[in-house]
């Protein structure tokens, strides 16, 4: 048979027809979507667009879905009915007889509890939940009504305990019978929180009984949360978890308070008997949660994802879609670790409560610290989940941190106590090392347990941390803790004062040689040496001995290049202190002691070139500080201050001979100038030229040297500062001087400078010299001008001013050319 048309043509026809059908279907779908939006909108929609036209761009959407609105209405209805039932029971109950009461409540309760059955058959789950909730609330009112009507003479608390037990059982049975309802079984679990607590209150069991009741209830909740694994019972698991943490939290708070306030070992043991089972429950729960979460991880063999059904809208009656259950991700991170942390902390709290009333004062903290360190062995238990291991480790770390905070006041007194000798030096040696550190601070006891805590923590860091990434840091921390214990040891043991100083000196030397993280050892040695220096201020001999030993020790340590940036300036600082202490011990006055302190900057200038770059800068800065100390000691003695300044100028000049310290030459010049000024002030010289000429001459020589090296250097930076230093102060003094020598000398110098500027075509000498020369001439002519002005009639000055203005106006253009010519001449000068 022959195909008409050909297959290729027919295929093209079919493709075109399919595309047309697709386009038409898209138009119909767009039209349908627009119609649906118009029907769902509250406001009337716009006019219908032409068929196939675009639907409105933005159609109003409802803010709440139909199921949510239905649920809200059902909840509000159930709440209102419950309130009405309560009002009936509390207000209208007394108007009915016993038969009427029983009939009304029984009928309403039976109807409310029976109604969910047909509702569930019709698929109205939300309505059934609301009616069932009303029925559960009515059973509570039934129990209350029964007590008021027939059992009013019974104890209210005991009756409430029995009623809560009965209601919990009845609600659980009701929820089991109607398994599709979610509310009854969590409500039964909520009611189950009360029986034990109410029983303990009714029996007047006291704080221990109440805490035990709460903890037992929380244990049952935890067991329910861990053992109920069915996805359909997810609300029960959530309610059980909330009850475990809520009820257990209150029980733990009560038991912890009983442990903290226990007056004797018996009371502490009873509190521990409450805390230890709670700790076991928490650790078991953490283990179980971590294990369950690990088996629920994706990819494990034999594990399938669980789903939980949720009801669809009541009006639809369609089966509900399956939704994923509670995700296990939070269980794998926070919850097991937090629960294990809580369990371990409760265990340590139970131990601490017993130790507090058993051991002598203060020794409970080291004993509890040992328990916390023992917890670090727990992670070695086989098959312990990682999350539980982390929680136990964090609990141990928390207790260790608290123990360290408890021991820190002892270290603070030993560390900062010696600073009190700064305001009472050489007032006499104290009786022992404890008196030496308690000049202005009280002693914090007990000291033995605090030293034990520091030692235990240092040993734990050194022995238990084996991770390569943390090993060095752990050793550094152990070294710091051991140092703190050694620093506090003399005061804690009340050793003799001299022995305490000797031990601090040995500690300084030992920490300098510490092989663990050199910066740590160097810093600890520096802190110890400062402590030793202040502690030695109590006695003159001790001060001189300690400062001498520290100077020699740090000078010897500076031979090691890695220590030199710290030890070299420390040696210079202690040498400065030693020089001041030596002068004070010898009875010298402060200016004479400054000469001894000058040795330190001299040593710094001599030693610095032999050190590395970092150590060199630190050494030079320390030498400069020592120089300032020497200057401060001589402020009251001008001749000695001049001598010190000139000596420092020589040291700065010696430093400037080094290629990398040429800038020190400026400091040398400034120091020499200051020394000359101080000497002139000591001689009571008042002429400004005596102060300025020693600066002007070197400045002009330096300017000439700069222009010789760089001919492009201008005259202002080369000669301007030097000339201005002398000319301007002399000119200022000229207007207050009535004699003739100063004007003559200043005018002659200004004339000479002006001629030299004109001869060598230098702008700065020409301008400065000419300006000073003109001002000097005006100063000399000023008396005659005043006399001449007094002799002239009053109309002559205005007339002369007018003639001058006329002459300038007539020759304005020529004057402008003259000014420009002068400017060009000056511009061509250097």
């Amino acid at each position: 048979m022959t195909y008409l048309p050909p297959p290729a043509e027919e295929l093209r026809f079919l493709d075109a027809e399919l595309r047309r059908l697709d386009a038409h279907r898209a138009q119909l779908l767009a039209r349908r979507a627009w119609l649906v939006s118009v029907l769902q909108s509250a406001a009337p929609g716009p006019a219908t667009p032409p068929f196939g036209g675009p639907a409105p761009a933005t159609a109003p959407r409802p803010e709440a879905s139909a199921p949510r609105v239905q649920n809200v209405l059902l909840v509000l209805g159930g709440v209102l009915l419950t309130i009405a039932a309560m009002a009936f029971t509390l207000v209208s109950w007394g108007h009915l007889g016993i038969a009427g009461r029983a009939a009304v409540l029984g009928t309403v309760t039976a109807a409310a509890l029976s109604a969910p059955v047909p509702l569930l058959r019709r698929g109205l789950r939300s309505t059934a939940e609301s009616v069932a909730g009303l029925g559960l609330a009515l059973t509570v009112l039934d129990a209350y009504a029964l007590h008021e009507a027939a059992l009013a003479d019974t104890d209210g608390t005991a009756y409430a305990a029995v009623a809560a037990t009965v209601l919990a059982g009845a609600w659980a049975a009701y929820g089991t019978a109607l398994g599709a309802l979610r509310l009854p079984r969590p409500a039964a679990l909520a009611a189950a929180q009360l029986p034990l607590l109410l029983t303990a209150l009714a029996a007047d069991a006291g704080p221990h009984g109440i805490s035990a009741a709460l903890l037992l209830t929380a244990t049952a909740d935890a067991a329910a949360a861990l053992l109920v694994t069915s996805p359909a019972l997810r609300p029960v698991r959530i309610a059980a978890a909330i009850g475990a943490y809520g009820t257990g939290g209150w029980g733990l708070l009560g038991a912890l308070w009983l442990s903290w306030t226990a007056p004797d070992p018996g009371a502490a043991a009873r509190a521990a008997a409450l805390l230890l089972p709670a700790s076991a429950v928490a650790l078991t729960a953490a283990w179980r949660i971590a294990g369950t979460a690990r088996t629920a991880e994706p990819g494990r063999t034999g594990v399938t994802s669980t789903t939980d059904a949720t009801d669809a809208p009541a009006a639809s009656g369609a089966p509900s879609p399956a939704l994923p259950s509670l995700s296990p991700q939070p269980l794998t991170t926070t919850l097991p670790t937090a629960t294990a942390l809580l369990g371990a902390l409760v265990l340590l709290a139970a131990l601490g409560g017993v130790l507090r009333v058993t051991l002598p004062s203060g020794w409970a903290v080291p004993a509890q610290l040992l328990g916390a360190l023992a917890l670090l062995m727990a992670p070695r238990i086989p098959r312990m989940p990682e999350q539980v291991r982390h929680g136990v480790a964090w609990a141990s770390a928390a207790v260790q941190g608290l123990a360290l905070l408890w021991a820190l006041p002892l270290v603070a007194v030993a560390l900062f106590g010696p600073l009190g000798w700064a305001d009472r030096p050489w007032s006499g040696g104290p009786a022992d090392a404890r008196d030496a550190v308690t000049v202005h601070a009280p002693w914090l006891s007990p000291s033995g347990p605090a030293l034990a805590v520091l030692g235990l923590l240092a040993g734990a860091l050194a022995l238990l941390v084996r991770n390569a990434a943390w090993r060095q840091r752990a050793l550094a921390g152990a070294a710091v803790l051991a140092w703190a214990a050694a620093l506090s040891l003399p005061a804690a043991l009340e050793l003799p004062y001299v022995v305490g100083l000797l031990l601090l000196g040995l500690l300084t030397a030992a920490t300098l040689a510490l092989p663990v993280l050199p910066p740590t050892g160097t810093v600890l040695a520096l802190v110890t040496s400062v402590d030793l220096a202040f502690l030695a201020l109590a006695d003159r001999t001790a001060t001189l001995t300690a400062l001498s030993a520290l100077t020699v020790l740090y000078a010897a340590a500076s031979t090691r290049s890695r220590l030199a940036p710290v030890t070299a300036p420390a040696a210079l600082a202690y040498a400065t202190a030693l020089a001041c202490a030596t002068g004070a011990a010898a009875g010298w006055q402060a200016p004479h002691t400054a000469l001894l302190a000058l040795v330190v900057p001299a040593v710094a200038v001599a030693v610095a070139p032999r050190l590395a770059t970092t150590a060199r800068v630190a050494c030079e800065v320390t030498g400069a500080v020592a120089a300032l100390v020497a200057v401060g000691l001589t402020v009251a003695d001008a001749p000695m201050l001049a001598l010190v300044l000139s000596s420092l100028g020589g040291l700065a000049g010696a430093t400037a001979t080094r290629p990398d310290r040429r800038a020190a030459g400026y400091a040398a010049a400034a120091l020499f100038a200051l020394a000359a000024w101080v000497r002139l002030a000591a001689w009571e010289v008042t002429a400004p030229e005596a102060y300025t000429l020693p600066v002007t001459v070197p400045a002009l020589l330096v300017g000439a040297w700069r222009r010789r090296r760089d001919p492009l250097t201008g005259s202002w930076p080369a000669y301007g500062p030097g000339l201005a230093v002398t000319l301007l102060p002399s000119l200022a003094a000229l207007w207050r001087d009535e004699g003739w020598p100063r004007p003559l000398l200043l005018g002659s110098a200004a004339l000479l400078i002006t001629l030299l500027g004109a001869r060598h075509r230098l702008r700065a000498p020409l301008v400065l010299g000419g300006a000073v020369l003109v001002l000097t001439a005006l100063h000399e002519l000023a008396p005659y001008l005043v006399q001449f002005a007094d002799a002239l009639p009053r109309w002559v000055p205005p007339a002369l001013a007018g003639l001058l203005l006329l002459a300038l106006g007539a020759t304005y253009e020529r004057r402008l050319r003259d000014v420009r010519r002068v400017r060009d001449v000056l511009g061509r000068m250097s």
Side-chain angles (χ1 to χ4, degrees):
M1 180 180 294
T2 304
Y3 287 91
L4 293 175
E9 185 66 20
E10 186 178 2
L11 180 61
R12 284 194 297 270
F13 174 79
L14 292 177
D15 290 338
E17 187 68 17
L18 289 174
R19 285 194 296 270
R20 187 183 66 80
L21 291 175
D22 290 338
H24 186 61
R25 183 176 184 274
Q27 292 178 356
L28 293 176
L29 290 175
R31 177 68 178 178
R32 181 184 182 277
W34 181 80
L35 291 174
V36 170
S37 65
V38 170
L39 292 176
Q40 291 181 350
S41 175
T48 304
F51 183 79
T58 57
R61 298 183 60 185
E63 296 182 356
S65 62
R68 290 186 179 179
V69 174
Q70 177 192 14
N71 292 334
V72 171
L73 294 177
L74 291 174
V75 170
L76 289 177
V79 171
L80 292 176
L81 287 175
T82 304
I83 294 175
M86 292 176 60
F88 168 76
T89 304
L90 298 175
V91 177
S92 302
W93 182 257
H95 300 289
L96 298 176
I98 296 178
R101 300 172 189 175
V104 170
L105 279 179
T107 302
V108 174
T109 304
L113 294 176
S114 302
V117 176
L119 292 175
L120 288 175
R121 291 175 181 174
R122 297 189 178 187
L124 304 177
R125 175 179 293 180
S126 298
T127 307
E129 293 281 359
S130 299
V131 176
L134 174 61
L136 299 181
L138 288 174
T139 57
V140 178
L141 296 177
D142 290 340
Y144 169 76
L146 178 62
H147 179 269
E148 293 297 322
L151 302 174
D153 296 334
T154 60
D155 181 63
T157 306
Y159 177 80
V162 175
T165 305
V166 173
L167 289 176
W171 292 355
Y174 180 71
T176 304
L178 299 179
L181 295 180
R182 295 184 176 184
L183 181 61
R185 281 175 287 194
L189 193 60
Q193 309 300 310
L194 301 176
L196 290 179
L197 175 61
L198 294 176
T199 302
L201 292 175
D204 197 11
H208 289 83
I210 294 174
S211 298
L214 291 172
L215 292 175
L216 285 175
T217 304
T219 302
D221 293 333
L226 294 175
L227 297 178
V228 175
T229 58
S230 174
L233 298 178
R234 179 187 173 194
V236 177
R237 294 182 60 193
I238 295 175
I242 295 174
Y245 284 104
T247 308
W250 285 108
L252 281 178
L253 288 178
L256 289 173
W257 177 255
L258 292 173
S259 178
W260 181 260
T261 58
D264 52 60
R270 289 195 299 272
L274 296 174
L275 292 174
L276 291 178
S279 172
V281 170
L283 292 174
T284 304
W287 194 310
R288 179 65 180 269
I289 295 172
T292 304
R294 185 174 57 202
T295 56
E297 291 178 0
R300 291 188 177 269
T301 306
V303 177
T304 58
S305 61
T306 58
T307 58
D308 190 12
T310 57
D311 52 340
S316 64
S320 59
L323 295 177
S325 64
L326 183 64
S327 175
Q329 275 73 16
L331 299 178
T332 63
T333 54
T334 307
L335 189 56
T337 302
T339 308
L341 170 64
L342 176 63
L345 288 178
V346 170
L347 175 63
L348 293 175
L351 175 64
V354 175
L355 295 174
R356 183 182 60 84
V357 296
T358 304
L359 297 178
S361 175
W363 285 102
V365 177
Q368 192 165 7
L369 178 60
L370 284 174
L373 295 176
L375 275 184
L376 295 177
M377 300 294 105
R380 298 185 180 182
I381 298 176
R383 293 180 296 179
M384 175 180 282
E386 189 70 19
Q387 296 84 357
V388 179
R389 185 179 295 113
H390 287 168
V392 173
W394 277 111
S396 176
V399 174
Q400 293 177 49
L402 292 176
L404 179 60
L405 289 177
W406 180 82
L408 280 183
L410 174 70
V411 182
V413 172
L415 182 61
F416 299 107
L419 301 180
W421 291 102
D423 61 348
R424 51 196 309 183
W426 297 353
S427 57
D432 51 45
R434 180 173 295 184
D435 290 339
V437 299
T438 54
V439 183
H440 295 301
W443 180 252
L444 300 176
S445 59
S447 55
L451 291 177
V453 166
L454 295 174
L456 288 174
L457 290 175
L461 285 176
L463 299 176
L464 299 181
V465 179
R466 296 296 182 181
N467 187 282
W470 291 90
R471 181 63 178 168
Q472 286 296 102
R473 299 177 186 178
L475 291 178
V480 172
L481 292 172
W483 167 82
L487 182 70
S488 309
L489 185 63
L493 300 182
E494 298 185 76
L495 297 178
Y497 172 66
V498 177
V499 176
L501 294 178
L502 181 61
L503 288 179
L504 288 182
L506 294 176
L507 181 61
T508 303
T511 49
L512 269 180
L514 192 66
V516 180
L517 289 181
T520 303
T522 307
V523 172
L524 294 181
L526 188 61
V527 173
T528 310
S529 63
V530 172
D531 221 31
L532 173 60
F534 276 98
L535 200 62
L537 284 176
D539 183 73
R540 177 183 304 177
T541 304
T543 300
L544 297 176
T545 304
L547 292 176
S548 301
L550 291 175
T551 302
V552 173
L553 175 63
Y554 277 100
S558 300
T559 57
R560 303 168 66 179
S561 58
R562 67 179 180 84
L563 301 179
V566 176
T567 56
L572 294 176
Y574 285 124
T576 305
L578 177 61
C580 296
T582 302
W588 296 353
Q589 296 181 353
H592 296 89
T593 304
L595 297 178
L596 188 59
L598 282 178
V599 177
V600 178
V603 172
V605 170
V607 172
R610 297 176 174 82
L611 301 175
T613 303
T614 306
R616 183 187 310 145
V617 174
C619 185
E620 290 171 346
V621 171
T622 309
V625 174
L628 291 177
V629 172
V631 171
L633 291 174
T634 57
V635 169
D637 191 339
M640 193 63 68
L641 177 61
L643 177 60
V644 170
L645 290 173
S646 60
S647 302
L648 294 176
L651 294 176
T655 304
T657 59
R658 292 161 44 192
D660 58 336
R661 291 293 185 268
R662 297 299 187 193
Y666 298 103
L671 288 170
F672 281 125
L674 287 175
W677 290 351
V678 171
R679 174 53 65 181
L680 291 174
W683 288 336
E684 299 182 353
V685 176
T686 58
E689 291 80 7
Y691 295 89
T692 58
L693 285 176
V695 178
T696 296
V697 174
L700 293 177
L701 293 177
V702 171
W705 175 72
R706 288 184 61 187
R707 283 181 59 84
R708 185 179 183 86
R709 292 189 59 187
D710 185 9
L712 297 179
T713 303
S715 62
W716 281 110
Y719 303 118
L723 294 175
V725 165
T726 294
L727 293 178
L728 297 182
S730 298
L731 183 63
L734 174 66
W735 293 92
R736 301 191 304 269
D737 192 358
E738 298 180 355
W740 60 270
R742 187 185 300 277
L744 178 62
L745 293 176
L746 181 60
S748 301
L751 177 61
L752 178 61
I753 291 172
T754 303
L755 294 176
L756 288 175
R759 170 69 180 79
H760 297 283
R761 303 184 65 184
L762 298 176
R763 188 184 307 168
L766 181 62
V767 173
L768 287 175
V772 172
L773 182 60
V774 170
L775 293 175
T776 303
L778 289 175
H779 174 268
E780 293 302 308
L781 292 177
Y784 302 103
L785 292 177
V786 172
Q787 294 177 2
F788 180 71
D790 291 338
L792 289 177
R794 295 296 178 90
W795 56 269
V796 173
L800 292 177
L803 291 175
L804 178 62
L805 291 176
L806 289 175
L808 290 176
T811 59
Y812 181 73
E813 294 294 335
R814 188 170 61 184
R815 295 293 173 265
L816 287 179
R817 288 195 299 271
D818 294 341
V819 171
R820 293 191 186 99
R821 190 179 298 112
V822 172
R823 185 189 64 187
D824 294 339
V825 170
L826 289 176
R828 288 192 294 272
M829 293 182 180
S830 60

